[in-house]
Amino acid sequence: MPDRAECEAVVRQLWPFIDGVVSETQREFIVDHLEQCEPCNSHFDFARAFLEAVHEARPHFHVGQGLNERVMAALAGAGYRA
Ligand SMILES: [Zn+2]
């Protein structure tokens, strides 16, 4: 059974790993860990399924050109300074 610290290190890299932006060393460490750690494995399964769902849904989203400006304007209106 892998120790907790290792689980935390793996879970912390869950999203970068799924996005494929971790280094080769990190990737091997994570894959190794997932092979022997059931809780982390189900964690990653969930994240992967979630991400797939987002990718499938994405074509239906239409993020308008002005969205960023509207968000920034709303933030500025709320007193936020970039
Ligand atoms: Zn684990």
Side-chain angles (χ1 to χ4, degrees), residues 19-40:
D19 279 346
V21 296
V22 293
S23 71
E24 185 65 16
T25 320
Q26 284 172 315
R27 203 186 61 80
E28 272 170 24
F29 166 70
I30 292 167
V31 169
D32 269 6
H33 181 88
L34 292 180
E35 271 168 14
Q36 24 171 331
C37 185
E38 186 52 42
C40 282

Side-chain angles (χ1 to χ4, degrees), residues 2-18 22 25-31 33-34 37 40 43-44:
D3 63 56
R4 261 188 73 88
E6 201 174 303
C7 286
E8 280 172 22
V10 164
V11 169
R12 213 174 295 134
Q13 298 188 64
L14 185 148
W15 292 108
F17 172 79
I18 286 169
V22 293
T25 320
Q26 284 172 315
R27 203 186 61 80
E28 272 170 24
F29 166 70
I30 292 167
V31 169
H33 181 88
L34 292 180
C37 185
C40 282
H43 219 78
F44 273 63

